[in-house]
Amino acid sequence: HKLIVDEKTGRVVASLFGVQSFEDSDVGRIEWVAVDKKHRRRGLAAVLSYVVTSEVVTAKYQRLELNTFEKMGAAIATYTNNGWRHDK
């Protein structure tokens, strides 16, 4: 679980939760990403994704997966802009 905390308020403003896949131990999964509405469009989700991706590479996982919903257009755009590919 990765967090970004606002230094002024002490509040969590962005969070990412990742796990090892239960189905395949060579696969990491990003299960949840959330950014406070007041802190969106600042690249916080991209920072968290980069940190977790780096850890996955270091841990020698074969693949990193995430799921989202079609209605999450902003999230999909963020993932695509950060190198993720859509795989149905």
Coordinates of all heavy atoms in Angstrom, one line a residue:
H1 N 0.9 -1.2 0.0 CA 0.0 0.0 0.0 C 0.9 1.2 0.0 O 1.8 1.4 0.9 CB -0.9 0.0 1.2 CG -2.1 0.9 1.1 ND1 -3.0 0.9 2.1 CD2 -2.4 1.8 0.2 CE1 -3.9 1.8 1.8 NE2 -3.6 2.3 0.7
K2 N 0.7 2.1 -1.0 CA 1.5 3.3 -1.1 C 0.5 4.5 -0.9 O -0.6 4.5 -1.3 CB 2.1 3.4 -2.4 CG 3.0 2.3 -2.8 CD 4.2 2.2 -1.9 CE 5.0 1.0 -2.2 NZ 6.0 0.7 -1.2
L3 N 1.1 5.5 -0.2 CA 0.3 6.7 0.1 C 1.1 8.0 -0.2 O 2.3 8.0 -0.1 CB -0.1 6.8 1.6 CG -0.8 5.6 2.2 CD1 -0.8 5.7 3.8 CD2 -2.1 5.4 1.7
I4 N 0.3 9.0 -0.5 CA 0.9 10.4 -0.6 C 0.1 11.2 0.4 O -1.1 11.2 0.3 CB 0.8 11.0 -2.0 CG1 1.7 10.1 -3.0 CG2 1.3 12.4 -2.0 CD1 1.6 10.6 -4.4
V5 N 0.9 11.9 1.3 CA 0.3 12.6 2.4 C 0.6 14.1 2.1 O 1.7 14.5 1.9 CB 0.8 12.2 3.7 CG1 0.2 13.0 4.9 CG2 0.5 10.7 4.0
D6 N -0.5 14.9 2.3 CA -0.3 16.4 2.2 C 0.5 16.8 3.4 O 0.0 16.7 4.5 CB -1.7 17.1 2.1 CG -1.6 18.6 1.9 OD1 -0.8 19.2 2.6 OD2 -2.4 19.1 1.1
E7 N 1.7 17.4 3.2 CA 2.5 17.8 4.3 C 1.9 18.9 5.2 O 2.1 19.0 6.4 CB 3.9 18.3 3.8 CG 4.7 17.2 3.3 CD 6.0 17.7 2.8 OE1 6.3 18.9 2.7 OE2 6.9 16.8 2.4
K8 N 1.0 19.8 4.6 CA 0.4 20.9 5.4 C -0.7 20.4 6.3 O -0.9 20.8 7.4 CB -0.2 21.9 4.4 CG 0.9 22.7 3.7 CD 0.3 23.7 2.7 CE 1.4 24.4 1.9 NZ 0.9 25.3 1.0
T9 N -1.5 19.4 5.7 CA -2.7 19.0 6.5 C -2.5 17.6 7.2 O -3.3 17.3 8.1 CB -3.9 18.9 5.6 OG1 -3.7 17.8 4.6 CG2 -4.2 20.2 4.9
G10 N -1.6 16.8 6.7 CA -1.4 15.5 7.2 C -2.4 14.5 6.7 O -2.4 13.3 7.1
R11 N -3.2 14.9 5.7 CA -4.2 14.0 5.2 C -3.7 13.2 4.0 O -2.8 13.7 3.2 CB -5.4 14.8 4.7 CG -6.2 15.5 5.8 CD -7.5 16.1 5.3 NE -8.3 15.1 4.8 CZ -9.1 15.3 3.7 NH1 -9.0 16.4 3.0 NH2 -9.8 14.3 3.2
V12 N -4.1 12.0 3.9 CA -3.8 11.2 2.7 C -4.5 11.8 1.5 O -5.7 12.0 1.6 CB -4.2 9.7 2.9 CG1 -4.0 8.9 1.6 CG2 -3.4 9.1 4.1
V13 N -3.8 12.1 0.4 CA -4.4 12.7 -0.8 C -4.4 11.7 -2.0 O -5.1 11.9 -3.0 CB -3.8 14.0 -1.1 CG1 -4.1 15.0 0.0 CG2 -2.3 13.9 -1.4
A14 N -3.6 10.7 -1.9 CA -3.5 9.7 -2.9 C -3.1 8.3 -2.3 O -2.3 8.3 -1.4 CB -2.6 10.1 -4.0
S15 N -3.7 7.3 -2.9 CA -3.4 5.9 -2.4 C -3.4 4.9 -3.5 O -4.2 5.0 -4.4 CB -4.5 5.6 -1.3 OG -4.3 4.3 -0.8
L16 N -2.5 3.9 -3.4 CA -2.5 2.8 -4.3 C -2.3 1.5 -3.5 O -1.5 1.5 -2.7 CB -1.4 3.0 -5.4 CG -1.3 1.9 -6.4 CD1 -0.8 2.5 -7.7 CD2 -0.5 0.7 -6.0
F17 N -3.1 0.5 -3.9 CA -3.0 -0.8 -3.2 C -2.7 -1.8 -4.2 O -3.4 -2.0 -5.2 CB -4.3 -1.1 -2.5 CG -4.3 -2.4 -1.7 CD1 -3.5 -2.6 -0.6 CD2 -5.0 -3.5 -2.2 CE1 -3.5 -3.7 0.1 CE2 -5.0 -4.7 -1.5 CZ -4.3 -4.8 -0.4
G18 N -1.6 -2.5 -4.0 CA -1.2 -3.6 -4.9 C -0.9 -4.9 -4.2 O -0.6 -4.9 -3.0
V19 N -1.1 -6.0 -4.9 CA -1.0 -7.3 -4.3 C -0.3 -8.3 -5.3 O -0.3 -8.0 -6.5 CB -2.3 -7.9 -3.8 CG1 -2.9 -7.1 -2.7 CG2 -3.3 -8.1 -5.0
Q20 N 0.1 -9.4 -4.8 CA 0.5 -10.5 -5.6 C -0.7 -11.2 -6.0 O -1.6 -11.4 -5.2 CB 1.5 -11.4 -4.9 CG 1.9 -12.6 -5.7 CD 2.9 -13.5 -4.9 OE1 2.8 -13.5 -3.7 NE2 3.6 -14.3 -5.6
S21 N -0.9 -11.6 -7.3 CA -2.0 -12.3 -7.7 C -2.2 -13.6 -7.0 O -1.2 -14.4 -6.8 CB -1.9 -12.6 -9.2 OG -2.9 -13.5 -9.7
F22 N -3.4 -14.0 -6.6 CA -3.7 -15.2 -5.9 C -3.6 -16.4 -7.0 O -3.3 -17.5 -6.6 CB -5.0 -15.2 -5.3 CG -5.1 -14.3 -4.1 CD1 -5.9 -13.1 -4.2 CD2 -4.3 -14.5 -3.0 CE1 -5.9 -12.3 -3.1 CE2 -4.4 -13.6 -1.9 CZ -5.2 -12.5 -2.0
E23 N -3.9 -16.1 -8.2 CA -4.0 -17.1 -9.3 C -2.6 -17.4 -9.8 O -2.4 -18.6 -10.3 CB -4.9 -16.7 -10.4 CG -6.3 -16.5 -10.1 CD -6.6 -15.1 -9.5 OE1 -5.8 -14.2 -9.7 OE2 -7.7 -14.9 -8.9
D24 N -1.7 -16.5 -9.8 CA -0.4 -16.7 -10.4 C 0.7 -15.8 -9.7 O 0.7 -14.6 -9.7 CB -0.4 -16.2 -11.9 CG 0.8 -16.5 -12.7 OD1 1.9 -16.8 -12.0 OD2 0.8 -16.4 -13.9
S25 N 1.6 -16.5 -9.0 CA 2.6 -15.8 -8.1 C 3.6 -15.0 -8.9 O 4.3 -14.2 -8.3 CB 3.3 -16.8 -7.2 OG 4.0 -17.8 -8.0
D26 N 3.6 -15.1 -10.2 CA 4.5 -14.3 -11.1 C 3.8 -13.0 -11.5 O 4.4 -12.2 -12.3 CB 4.9 -15.1 -12.3 CG 5.9 -16.2 -12.0 OD1 6.6 -16.1 -11.0 OD2 5.9 -17.2 -12.8
V27 N 2.6 -12.7 -11.0 CA 1.9 -11.6 -11.5 C 1.6 -10.7 -10.3 O 1.1 -11.1 -9.2 CB 0.5 -12.0 -12.1 CG1 -0.3 -10.8 -12.5 CG2 0.8 -12.9 -13.4
G28 N 1.9 -9.4 -10.4 CA 1.5 -8.4 -9.5 C 0.2 -7.7 -10.0 O -0.1 -7.7 -11.2
R29 N -0.6 -7.2 -9.1 CA -1.9 -6.6 -9.4 C -2.0 -5.3 -8.7 O -1.8 -5.2 -7.5 CB -3.0 -7.5 -9.1 CG -3.1 -8.8 -9.9 CD -4.3 -9.6 -9.5 NE -5.5 -8.9 -9.7 CZ -6.2 -8.8 -10.9 NH1 -5.8 -9.5 -11.9 NH2 -7.3 -8.1 -11.0
I30 N -2.4 -4.3 -9.4 CA -2.8 -3.0 -8.8 C -4.3 -3.1 -8.6 O -5.1 -3.3 -9.6 CB -2.5 -1.8 -9.6 CG1 -0.9 -1.6 -9.7 CG2 -3.1 -0.5 -9.1 CD1 -0.4 -0.5 -10.6
E31 N -4.8 -3.2 -7.4 CA -6.2 -3.4 -7.1 C -7.0 -2.1 -6.9 O -8.2 -2.1 -7.1 CB -6.3 -4.2 -5.8 CG -5.8 -5.6 -6.0 CD -6.7 -6.5 -6.9 OE1 -7.9 -6.2 -7.0 OE2 -6.1 -7.4 -7.5
W32 N -6.3 -1.0 -6.5 CA -7.1 0.1 -6.2 C -6.2 1.4 -6.2 O -5.1 1.4 -5.7 CB -7.6 0.0 -4.8 CG -8.4 1.1 -4.2 CD1 -9.5 1.7 -4.7 CD2 -8.1 1.8 -3.0 NE1 -9.9 2.6 -3.9 CE2 -9.1 2.7 -2.8 CE3 -7.1 1.6 -2.0 CZ2 -9.1 3.6 -1.7 CZ3 -7.1 2.5 -1.0 CH2 -8.1 3.4 -0.8
V33 N -6.6 2.4 -6.9 CA -6.0 3.7 -6.9 C -7.0 4.8 -6.6 O -8.1 4.8 -7.2 CB -5.3 4.0 -8.3 CG1 -4.6 5.4 -8.3 CG2 -4.4 2.9 -8.7
A34 N -6.7 5.7 -5.7 CA -7.6 6.8 -5.4 C -6.8 8.0 -5.2 O -5.8 8.0 -4.6 CB -8.4 6.4 -4.2
V35 N -7.4 9.1 -5.7 CA -6.8 10.5 -5.5 C -7.9 11.4 -5.1 O -9.0 11.5 -5.7 CB -6.1 11.0 -6.8 CG1 -5.6 12.4 -6.6 CG2 -5.0 10.0 -7.3
D36 N -7.7 12.1 -4.0 CA -8.6 13.1 -3.5 C -9.0 14.1 -4.6 O -8.1 14.5 -5.4 CB -8.0 13.9 -2.3 CG -9.0 14.9 -1.7 OD1 -9.0 16.0 -2.2 OD2 -9.6 14.5 -0.7
K37 N -10.3 14.4 -4.7 CA -10.8 15.3 -5.8 C -10.0 16.6 -5.9 O -9.7 17.1 -7.0 CB -12.2 15.6 -5.6 CG -13.1 14.4 -6.0 CD -14.6 14.8 -5.8 CE -15.4 13.6 -6.1 NZ -16.9 13.9 -6.0
K38 N -9.6 17.2 -4.8 CA -8.9 18.5 -4.7 C -7.4 18.3 -5.2 O -6.8 19.3 -5.5 CB -8.9 19.0 -3.3 CG -10.3 19.4 -2.8 CD -10.2 19.9 -1.4 CE -11.6 20.1 -0.9 NZ -11.6 20.5 0.6
H39 N -6.9 17.1 -5.3 CA -5.5 16.9 -5.7 C -5.4 16.2 -7.0 O -4.3 15.8 -7.4 CB -4.8 16.1 -4.6 CG -4.7 16.9 -3.3 ND1 -5.7 17.0 -2.4 CD2 -3.7 17.7 -2.9 CE1 -5.3 17.8 -1.4 NE2 -4.1 18.2 -1.7
R40 N -6.4 16.0 -7.8 CA -6.4 15.4 -9.1 C -5.7 16.2 -10.1 O -5.6 17.4 -10.0 CB -7.8 14.9 -9.5 CG -8.3 13.8 -8.7 CD -9.7 13.3 -9.1 NE -10.1 12.3 -8.2 CZ -11.4 12.0 -8.0 NH1 -12.3 12.5 -8.8 NH2 -11.7 11.1 -7.1
R41 N -5.2 15.6 -11.2 CA -4.6 16.3 -12.3 C -3.3 16.9 -12.0 O -2.8 17.9 -12.5 CB -5.5 17.3 -13.0 CG -6.9 16.6 -13.4 CD -7.6 17.3 -14.5 NE -6.9 17.6 -15.7 CZ -6.7 16.8 -16.7 NH1 -7.0 15.6 -16.6 NH2 -6.0 17.2 -17.8
R42 N -2.6 16.3 -11.0 CA -1.3 16.7 -10.5 C -0.2 15.6 -10.7 O 0.9 15.8 -10.3 CB -1.3 17.2 -9.1 CG -2.2 18.3 -8.8 CD -2.2 18.7 -7.4 NE -3.2 19.7 -7.1 CZ -3.4 20.3 -5.9 NH1 -2.6 19.9 -4.9 NH2 -4.3 21.2 -5.7
G43 N -0.7 14.5 -11.3 CA 0.3 13.4 -11.5 C 0.5 12.5 -10.3 O 1.4 11.7 -10.4
L44 N -0.3 12.6 -9.3 CA -0.1 11.7 -8.1 C -0.3 10.3 -8.4 O 0.5 9.4 -7.9 CB -1.0 12.2 -7.0 CG -0.8 13.7 -6.5 CD1 -1.7 14.0 -5.4 CD2 0.7 13.9 -6.1
A45 N -1.3 9.9 -9.2 CA -1.6 8.5 -9.5 C -0.4 8.0 -10.4 O 0.0 6.8 -10.2 CB -2.9 8.4 -10.3
A46 N 0.1 8.8 -11.2 CA 1.3 8.4 -12.0 C 2.5 8.2 -11.2 O 3.2 7.2 -11.4 CB 1.6 9.5 -13.1
V47 N 2.7 9.0 -10.2 CA 3.9 8.8 -9.2 C 3.7 7.5 -8.5 O 4.7 6.7 -8.4 CB 4.0 10.0 -8.2 CG1 4.9 9.6 -7.1 CG2 4.4 11.2 -8.9
L48 N 2.5 7.2 -8.0 CA 2.3 5.9 -7.3 C 2.5 4.7 -8.2 O 3.1 3.7 -7.8 CB 0.9 5.9 -6.6 CG 0.7 6.9 -5.5 CD1 -0.7 6.9 -5.0 CD2 1.6 6.6 -4.3
S49 N 1.9 4.9 -9.4 CA 2.1 3.8 -10.4 C 3.5 3.5 -10.7 O 4.0 2.3 -10.8 CB 1.3 4.1 -11.6 OG -0.1 4.1 -11.4
Y50 N 4.3 4.6 -10.8 CA 5.7 4.4 -11.2 C 6.5 3.7 -10.0 O 7.3 2.8 -10.2 CB 6.4 5.8 -11.4 CG 7.8 5.7 -11.7 CD1 8.3 5.3 -12.9 CD2 8.8 5.9 -10.7 CE1 9.7 5.2 -13.2 CE2 10.1 5.8 -10.9 CZ 10.6 5.5 -12.2 OH 11.9 5.3 -12.4
V51 N 6.2 4.1 -8.8 CA 6.8 3.5 -7.6 C 6.5 2.0 -7.6 O 7.4 1.1 -7.4 CB 6.4 4.2 -6.3 CG1 6.8 3.4 -5.1 CG2 6.9 5.6 -6.3
V52 N 5.2 1.6 -7.7 CA 4.9 0.2 -7.7 C 5.4 -0.6 -8.9 O 5.9 -1.7 -8.7 CB 3.3 0.1 -7.6 CG1 2.9 -1.4 -7.8 CG2 2.8 0.6 -6.3
T53 N 5.4 0.0 -10.1 CA 6.0 -0.6 -11.2 C 7.5 -0.9 -11.0 O 8.0 -2.0 -11.3 CB 5.8 0.2 -12.5 OG1 4.4 0.4 -12.7 CG2 6.4 -0.4 -13.7
S54 N 8.2 0.1 -10.4 CA 9.6 -0.2 -10.1 C 9.8 -1.3 -9.2 O 10.7 -2.1 -9.3 CB 10.2 1.1 -9.6 OG 10.2 2.2 -10.5
E55 N 9.0 -1.4 -8.2 CA 9.1 -2.5 -7.2 C 8.8 -3.8 -7.8 O 9.4 -4.8 -7.5 CB 8.1 -2.2 -6.0 CG 8.6 -1.1 -5.1 CD 7.6 -0.7 -4.0 OE1 6.5 -1.4 -3.9 OE2 8.0 0.1 -3.2
V56 N 7.8 -3.8 -8.7 CA 7.5 -5.1 -9.4 C 8.7 -5.6 -10.3 O 9.0 -6.8 -10.3 CB 6.2 -4.9 -10.3 CG1 6.0 -6.0 -11.3 CG2 5.0 -4.8 -9.4
V57 N 9.3 -4.6 -10.9 CA 10.5 -5.0 -11.7 C 11.6 -5.5 -10.8 O 12.2 -6.6 -11.1 CB 11.0 -3.8 -12.6 CG1 12.3 -4.1 -13.2 CG2 10.0 -3.4 -13.6
T58 N 11.9 -4.9 -9.7 CA 12.9 -5.3 -8.8 C 12.6 -6.7 -8.2 O 13.5 -7.5 -8.0 CB 13.0 -4.3 -7.6 OG1 13.4 -3.0 -8.2 CG2 14.1 -4.7 -6.6
A59 N 11.3 -6.9 -8.0 CA 10.9 -8.2 -7.4 C 10.8 -9.3 -8.5 O 10.5 -10.5 -8.1 CB 9.5 -8.1 -6.7
K60 N 11.1 -9.0 -9.7 CA 11.1 -9.9 -10.8 C 9.8 -10.6 -11.1 O 9.7 -11.7 -11.6 CB 12.2 -10.9 -10.6 CG 13.6 -10.3 -10.5 CD 14.7 -11.3 -10.6 CE 16.0 -10.7 -10.2 NZ 16.6 -9.9 -11.2
Y61 N 8.7 -9.9 -10.9 CA 7.4 -10.4 -11.4 C 7.4 -10.4 -12.9 O 8.1 -9.6 -13.5 CB 6.2 -9.5 -10.9 CG 5.8 -9.6 -9.5 CD1 6.4 -8.9 -8.5 CD2 4.9 -10.6 -9.1 CE1 6.0 -9.0 -7.2 CE2 4.5 -10.7 -7.8 CZ 5.1 -9.9 -6.8 OH 4.7 -10.1 -5.5
Q62 N 6.7 -11.3 -13.5 CA 6.6 -11.4 -14.9 C 5.7 -10.4 -15.6 O 5.8 -10.0 -16.7 CB 6.2 -12.9 -15.4 CG 7.2 -13.9 -14.9 CD 8.5 -13.7 -15.5 OE1 8.7 -13.6 -16.7 NE2 9.5 -13.7 -14.6
R63 N 4.7 -10.0 -14.8 CA 3.6 -9.1 -15.3 C 3.0 -8.3 -14.2 O 2.9 -8.8 -13.1 CB 2.6 -10.0 -16.1 CG 1.6 -9.2 -16.9 CD 0.7 -10.2 -17.7 NE -0.2 -11.0 -16.9 CZ -0.2 -12.3 -16.8 NH1 0.7 -13.0 -17.4 NH2 -1.1 -12.9 -16.1
L64 N 2.5 -7.1 -14.6 CA 1.7 -6.3 -13.6 C 0.4 -6.0 -14.3 O 0.4 -5.6 -15.4 CB 2.5 -5.0 -13.3 CG 1.8 -4.0 -12.4 CD1 1.6 -4.6 -11.0 CD2 2.6 -2.7 -12.2
E65 N -0.7 -6.3 -13.6 CA -2.0 -6.1 -14.1 C -2.8 -5.1 -13.3 O -2.5 -4.9 -12.1 CB -2.8 -7.4 -14.1 CG -2.2 -8.5 -15.0 CD -2.9 -9.8 -14.9 OE1 -3.8 -9.9 -14.0 OE2 -2.7 -10.6 -15.7
L66 N -3.8 -4.4 -13.9 CA -4.7 -3.6 -13.2 C -6.0 -3.7 -14.0 O -6.1 -4.0 -15.2 CB -4.3 -2.2 -13.0 CG -4.2 -1.3 -14.2 CD1 -5.5 -0.6 -14.5 CD2 -3.2 -0.2 -13.9
N67 N -7.1 -3.5 -13.2 CA -8.4 -3.5 -13.8 C -9.1 -2.2 -13.5 O -8.9 -1.7 -12.4 CB -9.3 -4.7 -13.3 CG -8.8 -6.0 -13.8 OD1 -8.5 -6.2 -14.9 ND2 -8.7 -7.0 -12.8
T68 N -9.9 -1.8 -14.4 CA -10.8 -0.6 -14.2 C -12.1 -0.8 -15.0 O -12.2 -1.8 -15.6 CB -10.0 0.7 -14.5 OG1 -10.8 1.8 -14.0 CG2 -9.8 0.9 -16.0
F69 N -12.9 0.2 -14.9 CA -14.2 0.1 -15.6 C -14.2 1.1 -16.8 O -13.5 2.1 -16.7 CB -15.4 0.5 -14.6 CG -15.5 -0.5 -13.5 CD1 -14.9 -0.2 -12.2 CD2 -16.1 -1.7 -13.6 CE1 -15.0 -1.0 -11.2 CE2 -16.2 -2.6 -12.6 CZ -15.7 -2.2 -11.3
E70 N -14.9 0.7 -17.8 CA -15.0 1.6 -19.0 C -15.4 3.0 -18.7 O -15.0 4.0 -19.3 CB -16.0 1.0 -20.0 CG -15.5 -0.3 -20.6 CD -14.4 -0.1 -21.7 OE1 -14.3 0.9 -22.3 OE2 -13.7 -1.1 -21.8
K71 N -16.3 3.2 -17.6 CA -16.8 4.5 -17.3 C -15.7 5.4 -16.6 O -15.9 6.6 -16.4 CB -18.0 4.4 -16.4 CG -17.7 3.8 -15.0 CD -18.9 3.7 -14.2 CE -18.6 3.2 -12.8 NZ -19.8 3.1 -11.9
M72 N -14.5 4.8 -16.3 CA -13.5 5.5 -15.6 C -12.5 6.1 -16.6 O -11.3 5.9 -16.7 CB -12.7 4.6 -14.7 CG -13.6 3.9 -13.6 SD -14.3 5.1 -12.5 CE -13.0 5.5 -11.5
G73 N -13.0 7.0 -17.5 CA -12.3 7.6 -18.6 C -11.0 8.3 -18.2 O -10.0 8.2 -18.8
A74 N -11.1 9.1 -17.1 CA -9.9 9.8 -16.7 C -8.8 8.9 -16.2 O -7.6 9.0 -16.5 CB -10.3 10.8 -15.5
A75 N -9.2 7.8 -15.5 CA -8.3 6.8 -15.0 C -7.6 6.1 -16.2 O -6.4 5.9 -16.2 CB -9.0 5.8 -14.1
I76 N -8.4 5.7 -17.2 CA -7.9 5.0 -18.3 C -6.9 5.9 -19.1 O -5.9 5.5 -19.5 CB -9.1 4.6 -19.3 CG1 -9.9 3.5 -18.6 CG2 -8.5 4.1 -20.6 CD1 -11.2 3.1 -19.2
A77 N -7.2 7.2 -19.2 CA -6.3 8.1 -19.9 C -5.0 8.2 -19.1 O -3.9 8.2 -19.7 CB -7.0 9.5 -20.0
T78 N -5.1 8.3 -17.8 CA -3.9 8.3 -17.0 C -3.0 7.1 -17.2 O -1.8 7.1 -17.4 CB -4.2 8.4 -15.5 OG1 -4.9 9.7 -15.3 CG2 -3.0 8.4 -14.6
Y79 N -3.7 5.9 -17.1 CA -2.9 4.7 -17.3 C -2.3 4.6 -18.7 O -1.1 4.2 -18.9 CB -3.8 3.4 -17.1 CG -4.5 3.4 -15.7 CD1 -5.8 3.0 -15.6 CD2 -3.7 3.7 -14.6 CE1 -6.4 2.9 -14.3 CE2 -4.3 3.7 -13.3 CZ -5.6 3.3 -13.2 OH -6.2 3.2 -12.0
T80 N -3.1 5.0 -19.7 CA -2.6 4.9 -21.1 C -1.4 5.9 -21.3 O -0.4 5.6 -21.9 CB -3.7 5.3 -22.1 OG1 -4.8 4.4 -21.9 CG2 -3.2 5.3 -23.5
N81 N -1.5 7.1 -20.7 CA -0.4 8.1 -20.8 C 0.8 7.6 -20.1 O 1.9 8.1 -20.3 CB -0.9 9.4 -20.2 CG -1.9 10.1 -21.1 OD1 -1.9 9.9 -22.3 ND2 -2.7 11.0 -20.6
N82 N 0.7 6.7 -19.2 CA 1.8 6.2 -18.4 C 2.3 4.8 -18.9 O 3.0 4.1 -18.2 CB 1.5 6.1 -16.9 CG 1.5 7.5 -16.3 OD1 2.5 8.1 -16.1 ND2 0.3 8.1 -16.1
G83 N 1.9 4.5 -20.1 CA 2.5 3.3 -20.8 C 1.7 2.0 -20.6 O 2.1 1.0 -21.1
W84 N 0.6 2.0 -19.9 CA -0.3 0.8 -19.8 C -1.0 0.6 -21.2 O -1.3 1.5 -21.9 CB -1.3 1.0 -18.8 CG -0.8 1.0 -17.4 CD1 -0.3 2.1 -16.7 CD2 -0.6 -0.1 -16.5 NE1 0.2 1.7 -15.5 CE2 0.0 0.3 -15.3 CE3 -0.9 -1.5 -16.7 CZ2 0.2 -0.5 -14.3 CZ3 -0.6 -2.3 -15.6 CH2 -0.1 -1.8 -14.4
R85 N -1.2 -0.7 -21.5 CA -2.0 -1.0 -22.7 C -3.3 -1.7 -22.3 O -3.4 -2.4 -21.3 CB -1.2 -1.8 -23.6 CG -0.8 -3.2 -23.2 CD 0.0 -3.9 -24.2 NE 0.6 -5.1 -23.7 CZ 0.0 -6.3 -23.7 NH1 -1.2 -6.4 -24.1 NH2 0.6 -7.3 -23.1
H86 N -4.3 -1.4 -23.1 CA -5.6 -2.0 -22.9 C -5.6 -3.4 -23.5 O -5.3 -3.6 -24.7 CB -6.6 -1.1 -23.6 CG -8.0 -1.5 -23.3 ND1 -8.9 -2.1 -24.2 CD2 -8.8 -1.4 -22.1 CE1 -10.0 -2.3 -23.7 NE2 -10.0 -1.9 -22.4
D87 N -6.0 -4.3 -22.7 CA -6.1 -5.7 -23.1 C -7.4 -6.3 -22.7 O -7.7 -6.5 -21.5 CB -4.9 -6.5 -22.5 CG -4.8 -7.9 -23.1 OD1 -5.4 -8.2 -24.1 OD2 -4.1 -8.7 -22.4
K88 N -8.3 -6.5 -23.6 CA -9.7 -7.1 -23.3 C -9.6 -8.5 -23.0 O -8.9 -9.3 -23.6 CB -10.6 -6.7 -24.4 CG -11.0 -5.3 -24.4 CD -12.1 -5.0 -25.4 CE -12.5 -3.5 -25.4 NZ -13.6 -3.2 -26.2

